[in-house]
Amino acid sequence: DEKEKFEPTVFRDTIVQGLNEAGNDLEAIAKFLDAAGSRLDYRRYADTLFDILVAGSMLAPGGTRIDDNDKTKMTSHCVFFADEDHDAIRNYAQVGKG
């Protein structure tokens, strides 16, 4: 019985690349996340996915980002980089429900 490797950094890189390619179009982001859900294990990497959608990259214990300012490991398409108004945050929340 072979165990599957736990590779959150590979998962992060795949999600971040897709989000960055989707650009500022929240509908395209939602479509990417929906399509990726059929091939990526969202349950296994739920914490990593949450970190990316909220903070833009993986977080270390204590809340610092683990990206070494490498733009390929982070995205600005997340709650932390959203405009600070109710509608913008609600739109990001709707992406997560999609």
Side-chain angles (χ1 to χ4, degrees):
D1 195 23
E2 209 173 301
K3 284 190 172 188
E4 190 177 336
K5 277 186 162 181
F6 183 69
E7 300 183 89
T9 55
V10 172
F11 177 84
R12 176 208 52 210
D13 294 347
T14 303
I15 295 294
V16 166
Q17 179 182 2
L19 293 177
N20 287 341
E21 288 174 359
N24 292 326
D25 183 357
L26 288 179
E27 188 172 322
I29 289 171
K31 286 180 182 179
F32 161 73
L33 290 171
D34 187 43
S38 65
R39 59 186 166 75
L40 298 175
D41 191 350
Y42 283 171
R43 286 185 182 185
R44 182 180 188 127
Y45 298 106
D47 290 339
T48 303
L49 181 61
F50 183 78
D51 289 352
I52 294 166
L53 295 177
V54 173
S57 189
M58 287 174 52
L59 298 177
T64 57
R65 288 195 344 226
I66 307 172
D67 56 40
D68 301 320
N69 288 322
D70 181 342
K71 300 292 183 193
T72 65
K73 297 179 182 178
M74 55 194 240
T75 184
S76 62
H77 308 299
C78 63
V79 173
F80 281 9
F81 288 99
D83 291 336
E84 292 185 28
D85 66 61
H86 181 72
D87 290 335
I89 301 302
R90 186 179 63 223
N91 289 337
Y92 274 93
Q94 295 301 319
V95 167
K97 286 183 179 180

